[in-house]
PDB file of all heavy atoms in Angstrom:
ATOM      1  N   ARG A   1     133.805 146.558 110.437  1.00 83.00           N
ATOM      2  CA  ARG A   1     132.911 146.129 111.510  1.00 83.00           C
ATOM      3  C   ARG A   1     132.842 147.198 112.580  1.00 83.00           C
ATOM      4  O   ARG A   1     133.734 148.008 112.716  1.00 83.00           O
ATOM      5  CB  ARG A   1     133.434 144.857 112.170  1.00 83.00           C
ATOM      6  CG  ARG A   1     133.480 143.679 111.268  1.00 83.00           C
ATOM      7  CD  ARG A   1     134.188 142.535 111.985  1.00 83.00           C
ATOM      8  NE  ARG A   1     134.458 141.462 111.054  1.00 83.00           N
ATOM      9  CZ  ARG A   1     134.022 140.229 111.203  1.00 83.00           C
ATOM     10  NH1 ARG A   1     133.326 139.903 112.263  1.00 83.00           N
ATOM     11  NH2 ARG A   1     134.287 139.317 110.313  1.00 83.00           N
ATOM     12  N   GLY A   2     131.775 147.160 113.334  1.00 83.00           N
ATOM     13  CA  GLY A   2     131.650 148.097 114.436  1.00 83.00           C
ATOM     14  C   GLY A   2     130.424 147.813 115.264  1.00 83.00           C
ATOM     15  O   GLY A   2     129.715 146.835 115.039  1.00 83.00           O
ATOM     16  N   ASP A   3     130.193 148.673 116.232  1.00 86.00           N
ATOM     17  CA  ASP A   3     129.024 148.599 117.095  1.00 86.00           C
ATOM     18  C   ASP A   3     128.174 149.835 116.881  1.00 86.00           C
ATOM     19  O   ASP A   3     128.695 150.914 116.592  1.00 86.00           O
ATOM     20  CB  ASP A   3     129.433 148.576 118.575  1.00 86.00           C
ATOM     21  CG  ASP A   3     130.107 147.281 118.975  1.00 86.00           C
ATOM     22  OD1 ASP A   3     129.785 146.230 118.398  1.00 86.00           O
ATOM     23  OD2 ASP A   3     130.958 147.319 119.875  1.00 86.00           O
ATOM     24  N   SER A   4     126.889 149.669 117.046  1.00 87.00           N
ATOM     25  CA  SER A   4     125.965 150.793 116.983  1.00 87.00           C
ATOM     26  C   SER A   4     124.773 150.475 117.880  1.00 87.00           C
ATOM     27  O   SER A   4     124.650 149.365 118.385  1.00 87.00           O
ATOM     28  CB  SER A   4     125.498 151.035 115.539  1.00 87.00           C
ATOM     29  OG  SER A   4     124.827 152.272 115.446  1.00 87.00           O
ATOM     30  N   ALA A   5     123.925 151.465 118.067  1.00 91.00           N
ATOM     31  CA  ALA A   5     122.730 151.280 118.889  1.00 91.00           C
ATOM     32  C   ALA A   5     121.658 150.526 118.115  1.00 91.00           C
ATOM     33  O   ALA A   5     121.511 150.721 116.903  1.00 91.00           O
ATOM     34  CB  ALA A   5     122.197 152.636 119.342  1.00 91.00           C
ATOM     35  N   LEU A   6     120.888 149.695 118.805  1.00 91.00           N
ATOM     36  CA  LEU A   6     119.754 149.001 118.173  1.00 91.00           C
ATOM     37  C   LEU A   6     118.732 150.015 117.663  1.00 91.00           C
ATOM     38  O   LEU A   6     118.186 149.872 116.579  1.00 91.00           O
ATOM     39  CB  LEU A   6     119.051 148.092 119.178  1.00 91.00           C
ATOM     40  CG  LEU A   6     119.682 146.764 119.502  1.00 91.00           C
ATOM     41  CD1 LEU A   6     118.947 146.110 120.661  1.00 91.00           C
ATOM     42  CD2 LEU A   6     119.679 145.864 118.289  1.00 91.00           C
ATOM     43  N   ALA A   7     118.447 150.995 118.474  1.00 94.00           N
ATOM     44  CA  ALA A   7     117.503 152.059 118.120  1.00 94.00           C
ATOM     45  C   ALA A   7     118.120 153.360 118.620  1.00 94.00           C
ATOM     46  O   ALA A   7     118.743 153.386 119.685  1.00 94.00           O
ATOM     47  CB  ALA A   7     116.149 151.830 118.780  1.00 94.00           C
ATOM     48  N   SER A   8     117.970 154.442 117.851  1.00 96.00           N
ATOM     49  CA  SER A   8     118.555 155.712 118.281  1.00 96.00           C
ATOM     50  C   SER A   8     117.881 156.876 117.570  1.00 96.00           C
ATOM     51  O   SER A   8     117.220 156.713 116.546  1.00 96.00           O
ATOM     52  CB  SER A   8     120.062 155.736 118.012  1.00 96.00           C
ATOM     53  OG  SER A   8     120.346 155.540 116.647  1.00 96.00           O
ATOM     54  N   PHE A   9     118.092 158.060 118.164  1.00 97.00           N
ATOM     55  CA  PHE A   9     117.577 159.290 117.571  1.00 97.00           C
ATOM     56  C   PHE A   9     118.398 160.464 118.067  1.00 97.00           C
ATOM     57  O   PHE A   9     119.155 160.346 119.045  1.00 97.00           O
ATOM     58  CB  PHE A   9     116.098 159.487 117.913  1.00 97.00           C
ATOM     59  CG  PHE A   9     115.836 159.929 119.324  1.00 97.00           C
ATOM     60  CD1 PHE A   9     115.654 161.280 119.622  1.00 97.00           C
ATOM     61  CD2 PHE A   9     115.768 159.018 120.356  1.00 97.00           C
ATOM     62  CE1 PHE A   9     115.417 161.685 120.927  1.00 97.00           C
ATOM     63  CE2 PHE A   9     115.528 159.415 121.653  1.00 97.00           C
ATOM     64  CZ  PHE A   9     115.352 160.764 121.948  1.00 97.00           C
ATOM     65  N   SER A  10     118.246 161.579 117.381  1.00 97.00           N
ATOM     66  CA  SER A  10     118.895 162.817 117.783  1.00 97.00           C
ATOM     67  C   SER A  10     117.870 163.947 117.724  1.00 97.00           C
ATOM     68  O   SER A  10     117.257 164.164 116.677  1.00 97.00           O
ATOM     69  CB  SER A  10     120.072 163.132 116.854  1.00 97.00           C
ATOM     70  OG  SER A  10     120.718 164.316 117.274  1.00 97.00           O
ATOM     71  N   PRO A  11     117.673 164.650 118.831  1.00 97.00           N
ATOM     72  CA  PRO A  11     116.730 165.781 118.835  1.00 97.00           C
ATOM     73  C   PRO A  11     117.410 167.039 118.304  1.00 97.00           C
ATOM     74  O   PRO A  11     117.901 167.869 119.062  1.00 97.00           O
ATOM     75  CB  PRO A  11     116.357 165.905 120.321  1.00 97.00           C
ATOM     76  CG  PRO A  11     117.544 165.375 121.053  1.00 97.00           C
ATOM     77  CD  PRO A  11     118.181 164.342 120.156  1.00 97.00           C
ATOM     78  N   ARG A  12     117.476 167.148 116.999  1.00 95.00           N
ATOM     79  CA  ARG A  12     118.139 168.292 116.370  1.00 95.00           C
ATOM     80  C   ARG A  12     117.252 169.526 116.422  1.00 95.00           C
ATOM     81  O   ARG A  12     116.064 169.433 116.687  1.00 95.00           O
ATOM     82  CB  ARG A  12     118.477 167.952 114.921  1.00 95.00           C
ATOM     83  CG  ARG A  12     119.433 166.791 114.807  1.00 95.00           C
ATOM     84  CD  ARG A  12     119.705 166.488 113.372  1.00 95.00           C
ATOM     85  NE  ARG A  12     120.588 165.340 113.229  1.00 95.00           N
ATOM     86  CZ  ARG A  12     120.843 164.757 112.079  1.00 95.00           C
ATOM     87  NH1 ARG A  12     120.283 165.208 110.970  1.00 95.00           N
ATOM     88  NH2 ARG A  12     121.654 163.729 112.036  1.00 95.00           N
ATOM     89  N   LYS A  13     117.839 170.667 116.142  1.00 92.00           N
ATOM     90  CA  LYS A  13     117.105 171.928 116.208  1.00 92.00           C
ATOM     91  C   LYS A  13     115.929 171.967 115.219  1.00 92.00           C
ATOM     92  O   LYS A  13     114.833 172.380 115.561  1.00 92.00           O
ATOM     93  CB  LYS A  13     118.058 173.091 115.930  1.00 92.00           C
ATOM     94  CG  LYS A  13     117.457 174.437 116.227  1.00 92.00           C
ATOM     95  CD  LYS A  13     118.511 175.529 116.133  1.00 92.00           C
ATOM     96  CE  LYS A  13     117.974 176.801 116.674  1.00 92.00           C
ATOM     97  NZ  LYS A  13     118.510 177.167 117.968  1.00 92.00           N
ATOM     98  N   ALA A  14     116.147 171.507 113.999  1.00 93.00           N
ATOM     99  CA  ALA A  14     115.114 171.585 112.956  1.00 93.00           C
ATOM    100  C   ALA A  14     114.134 170.420 112.974  1.00 93.00           C
ATOM    101  O   ALA A  14     113.017 170.549 112.470  1.00 93.00           O
ATOM    102  CB  ALA A  14     115.769 171.669 111.578  1.00 93.00           C
ATOM    103  N   HIS A  15     114.547 169.274 113.512  1.00 95.00           N
ATOM    104  CA  HIS A  15     113.701 168.084 113.480  1.00 95.00           C
ATOM    105  C   HIS A  15     114.268 167.011 114.400  1.00 95.00           C
ATOM    106  O   HIS A  15     115.389 167.131 114.882  1.00 95.00           O
ATOM    107  CB  HIS A  15     113.604 167.533 112.049  1.00 95.00           C
ATOM    108  CG  HIS A  15     114.951 167.337 111.427  1.00 95.00           C
ATOM    109  ND1 HIS A  15     115.440 168.162 110.462  1.00 95.00           N
ATOM    110  CD2 HIS A  15     115.917 166.444 111.668  1.00 95.00           C
ATOM    111  CE1 HIS A  15     116.661 167.768 110.129  1.00 95.00           C
ATOM    112  NE2 HIS A  15     116.976 166.743 110.842  1.00 95.00           N
ATOM    113  N   LEU A  16     113.494 165.972 114.585  1.00 97.00           N
ATOM    114  CA  LEU A  16     113.968 164.770 115.263  1.00 97.00           C
ATOM    115  C   LEU A  16     114.505 163.838 114.186  1.00 97.00           C
ATOM    116  O   LEU A  16     113.805 163.564 113.203  1.00 97.00           O
ATOM    117  CB  LEU A  16     112.826 164.070 115.994  1.00 97.00           C
ATOM    118  CG  LEU A  16     112.164 164.843 117.121  1.00 97.00           C
ATOM    119  CD1 LEU A  16     110.788 164.251 117.427  1.00 97.00           C
ATOM    120  CD2 LEU A  16     113.039 164.843 118.358  1.00 97.00           C
ATOM    121  N   ALA A  17     115.717 163.382 114.331  1.00 97.00           N
ATOM    122  CA  ALA A  17     116.288 162.420 113.395  1.00 97.00           C
ATOM    123  C   ALA A  17     116.227 161.047 114.056  1.00 97.00           C
ATOM    124  O   ALA A  17     116.859 160.821 115.092  1.00 97.00           O
ATOM    125  CB  ALA A  17     117.725 162.785 113.055  1.00 97.00           C
ATOM    126  N   VAL A  18     115.429 160.150 113.489  1.00 97.00           N
ATOM    127  CA  VAL A  18     115.287 158.791 114.001  1.00 97.00           C
ATOM    128  C   VAL A  18     116.078 157.891 113.060  1.00 97.00           C
ATOM    129  O   VAL A  18     115.835 157.882 111.847  1.00 97.00           O
ATOM    130  CB  VAL A  18     113.802 158.359 114.049  1.00 97.00           C
ATOM    131  CG1 VAL A  18     113.668 156.940 114.570  1.00 97.00           C
ATOM    132  CG2 VAL A  18     112.986 159.339 114.895  1.00 97.00           C
ATOM    133  N   TYR A  19     117.035 157.156 113.619  1.00 95.00           N
ATOM    134  CA  TYR A  19     117.914 156.322 112.797  1.00 95.00           C
ATOM    135  C   TYR A  19     117.307 154.939 112.649  1.00 95.00           C
ATOM    136  O   TYR A  19     117.078 154.236 113.632  1.00 95.00           O
ATOM    137  CB  TYR A  19     119.310 156.272 113.412  1.00 95.00           C
ATOM    138  CG  TYR A  19     119.885 157.666 113.544  1.00 95.00           C
ATOM    139  CD1 TYR A  19     119.918 158.316 114.770  1.00 95.00           C
ATOM    140  CD2 TYR A  19     120.313 158.355 112.422  1.00 95.00           C
ATOM    141  CE1 TYR A  19     120.402 159.611 114.883  1.00 95.00           C
ATOM    142  CE2 TYR A  19     120.790 159.646 112.522  1.00 95.00           C
ATOM    143  CZ  TYR A  19     120.838 160.272 113.757  1.00 95.00           C
ATOM    144  OH  TYR A  19     121.303 161.556 113.854  1.00 95.00           O
ATOM    145  N   LEU A  20     117.038 154.572 111.398  1.00 92.00           N
ATOM    146  CA  LEU A  20     116.396 153.298 111.087  1.00 92.00           C
ATOM    147  C   LEU A  20     117.315 152.451 110.218  1.00 92.00           C
ATOM    148  O   LEU A  20     118.343 152.916 109.730  1.00 92.00           O
ATOM    149  CB  LEU A  20     115.070 153.535 110.360  1.00 92.00           C
ATOM    150  CG  LEU A  20     114.021 154.342 111.120  1.00 92.00           C
ATOM    151  CD1 LEU A  20     112.828 154.636 110.225  1.00 92.00           C
ATOM    152  CD2 LEU A  20     113.587 153.611 112.389  1.00 92.00           C
ATOM    153  N   VAL A  21     116.901 151.241 109.990  1.00 86.00           N
ATOM    154  CA  VAL A  21     117.648 150.329 109.137  1.00 86.00           C
ATOM    155  C   VAL A  21     117.640 150.854 107.696  1.00 86.00           C
ATOM    156  O   VAL A  21     116.680 151.493 107.253  1.00 86.00           O
ATOM    157  CB  VAL A  21     117.042 148.905 109.239  1.00 86.00           C
ATOM    158  CG1 VAL A  21     115.688 148.826 108.597  1.00 86.00           C
ATOM    159  CG2 VAL A  21     117.975 147.863 108.696  1.00 86.00           C
ATOM    160  N   GLY A  22     118.715 150.634 106.982  1.00 81.00           N
ATOM    161  CA  GLY A  22     118.825 151.097 105.601  1.00 81.00           C
ATOM    162  C   GLY A  22     117.718 150.577 104.708  1.00 81.00           C
ATOM    163  O   GLY A  22     117.159 149.513 104.946  1.00 81.00           O
ATOM    164  N   ASP A  23     117.362 151.357 103.703  1.00 81.00           N
ATOM    165  CA  ASP A  23     116.360 151.003 102.696  1.00 81.00           C
ATOM    166  C   ASP A  23     114.947 150.907 103.274  1.00 81.00           C
ATOM    167  O   ASP A  23     114.073 150.274 102.704  1.00 81.00           O
ATOM    168  CB  ASP A  23     116.745 149.699 101.996  1.00 81.00           C
ATOM    169  CG  ASP A  23     116.116 149.555 100.624  1.00 81.00           C
ATOM    170  OD1 ASP A  23     115.727 150.590 100.032  1.00 81.00           O
ATOM    171  OD2 ASP A  23     116.002 148.419 100.137  1.00 81.00           O
ATOM    172  N   PHE A  24     114.718 151.549 104.424  1.00 84.00           N
ATOM    173  CA  PHE A  24     113.391 151.479 105.045  1.00 84.00           C
ATOM    174  C   PHE A  24     112.326 152.122 104.171  1.00 84.00           C
ATOM    175  O   PHE A  24     111.178 151.712 104.204  1.00 84.00           O
ATOM    176  CB  PHE A  24     113.400 152.099 106.448  1.00 84.00           C
ATOM    177  CG  PHE A  24     113.522 153.598 106.485  1.00 84.00           C
ATOM    178  CD1 PHE A  24     112.400 154.404 106.491  1.00 84.00           C
ATOM    179  CD2 PHE A  24     114.772 154.198 106.513  1.00 84.00           C
ATOM    180  CE1 PHE A  24     112.509 155.779 106.534  1.00 84.00           C
ATOM    181  CE2 PHE A  24     114.898 155.564 106.556  1.00 84.00           C
ATOM    182  CZ  PHE A  24     113.764 156.363 106.556  1.00 84.00           C
ATOM    183  N   GLU A  25     112.699 153.119 103.364  1.00 83.00           N
ATOM    184  CA  GLU A  25     111.695 153.784 102.519  1.00 83.00           C
ATOM    185  C   GLU A  25     111.081 152.820 101.515  1.00 83.00           C
ATOM    186  O   GLU A  25     109.890 152.878 101.248  1.00 83.00           O
ATOM    187  CB  GLU A  25     112.328 154.951 101.765  1.00 83.00           C
ATOM    188  CG  GLU A  25     112.640 156.136 102.640  1.00 83.00           C
ATOM    189  CD  GLU A  25     113.235 157.257 101.836  1.00 83.00           C
ATOM    190  OE1 GLU A  25     114.445 157.190 101.549  1.00 83.00           O
ATOM    191  OE2 GLU A  25     112.468 158.177 101.478  1.00 83.00           O
ATOM    192  N   THR A  26     111.881 151.934 100.975  1.00 84.00           N
ATOM    193  CA  THR A  26     111.408 150.959  99.995  1.00 84.00           C
ATOM    194  C   THR A  26     110.701 149.791 100.667  1.00 84.00           C
ATOM    195  O   THR A  26     109.602 149.418 100.291  1.00 84.00           O
ATOM    196  CB  THR A  26     112.589 150.423  99.165  1.00 84.00           C
ATOM    197  OG1 THR A  26     113.254 151.527  98.562  1.00 84.00           O
ATOM    198  CG2 THR A  26     112.126 149.447  98.106  1.00 84.00           C
ATOM    199  N   LYS A  27     111.328 149.257 101.691  1.00 86.00           N
ATOM    200  CA  LYS A  27     110.811 148.041 102.318  1.00 86.00           C
ATOM    201  C   LYS A  27     109.605 148.281 103.212  1.00 86.00           C
ATOM    202  O   LYS A  27     108.880 147.353 103.518  1.00 86.00           O
ATOM    203  CB  LYS A  27     111.921 147.349 103.085  1.00 86.00           C
ATOM    204  CG  LYS A  27     113.015 146.883 102.145  1.00 86.00           C
ATOM    205  CD  LYS A  27     114.031 146.052 102.838  1.00 86.00           C
ATOM    206  CE  LYS A  27     115.135 145.727 101.864  1.00 86.00           C
ATOM    207  NZ  LYS A  27     115.286 144.370 101.546  1.00 86.00           N
ATOM    208  N   HIS A  28     109.405 149.512 103.650  1.00 88.00           N
ATOM    209  CA  HIS A  28     108.300 149.801 104.566  1.00 88.00           C
ATOM    210  C   HIS A  28     107.456 150.975 104.076  1.00 88.00           C
ATOM    211  O   HIS A  28     106.962 151.771 104.872  1.00 88.00           O
ATOM    212  CB  HIS A  28     108.848 150.067 105.972  1.00 88.00           C
ATOM    213  CG  HIS A  28     109.747 148.969 106.446  1.00 88.00           C
ATOM    214  ND1 HIS A  28     109.310 147.681 106.605  1.00 88.00           N
ATOM    215  CD2 HIS A  28     111.054 148.964 106.746  1.00 88.00           C
ATOM    216  CE1 HIS A  28     110.319 146.927 106.993  1.00 88.00           C
ATOM    217  NE2 HIS A  28     111.384 147.684 107.087  1.00 88.00           N
ATOM    218  N   ALA A  29     107.263 151.036 102.779  1.00 90.00           N
ATOM    219  CA  ALA A  29     106.508 152.143 102.176  1.00 90.00           C
ATOM    220  C   ALA A  29     105.085 152.240 102.718  1.00 90.00           C
ATOM    221  O   ALA A  29     104.585 153.344 102.957  1.00 90.00           O
ATOM    222  CB  ALA A  29     106.497 151.999 100.656  1.00 90.00           C
ATOM    223  N   SER A  30     104.428 151.119 102.953  1.00 92.00           N
ATOM    224  CA  SER A  30     103.047 151.171 103.440  1.00 92.00           C
ATOM    225  C   SER A  30     102.992 151.728 104.866  1.00 92.00           C
ATOM    226  O   SER A  30     102.068 152.462 105.213  1.00 92.00           O
ATOM    227  CB  SER A  30     102.381 149.797 103.367  1.00 92.00           C
ATOM    228  OG  SER A  30     103.052 148.879 104.204  1.00 92.00           O
ATOM    229  N   THR A  31     103.979 151.409 105.683  1.00 93.00           N
ATOM    230  CA  THR A  31     104.034 151.956 107.044  1.00 93.00           C
ATOM    231  C   THR A  31     104.325 153.456 106.980  1.00 93.00           C
ATOM    232  O   THR A  31     103.716 154.242 107.705  1.00 93.00           O
ATOM    233  CB  THR A  31     105.100 151.232 107.881  1.00 93.00           C
ATOM    234  OG1 THR A  31     104.836 149.830 107.846  1.00 93.00           O
ATOM    235  CG2 THR A  31     105.094 151.717 109.315  1.00 93.00           C
ATOM    236  N   LEU A  32     105.234 153.855 106.114  1.00 93.00           N
ATOM    237  CA  LEU A  32     105.549 155.278 105.959  1.00 93.00           C
ATOM    238  C   LEU A  32     104.340 156.068 105.473  1.00 93.00           C
ATOM    239  O   LEU A  32     104.147 157.221 105.869  1.00 93.00           O
ATOM    240  CB  LEU A  32     106.716 155.470 104.999  1.00 93.00           C
ATOM    241  CG  LEU A  32     108.087 155.153 105.579  1.00 93.00           C
ATOM    242  CD1 LEU A  32     109.142 155.179 104.482  1.00 93.00           C
ATOM    243  CD2 LEU A  32     108.447 156.103 106.692  1.00 93.00           C
ATOM    244  N   ALA A  33     103.520 155.462 104.638  1.00 93.00           N
ATOM    245  CA  ALA A  33     102.316 156.140 104.147  1.00 93.00           C
ATOM    246  C   ALA A  33     101.354 156.436 105.294  1.00 93.00           C
ATOM    247  O   ALA A  33     100.650 157.451 105.275  1.00 93.00           O
ATOM    248  CB  ALA A  33     101.630 155.280 103.082  1.00 93.00           C
TER     249      ALA A  33
END
């Protein structure tokens, strides 16, 4: 168990990393498109 942020991101040098809920690629494919 643990705590984490509801929404978060990291402005990395190469890109912005936006942390989303697991399996978002499958469950939200139409939004990603």
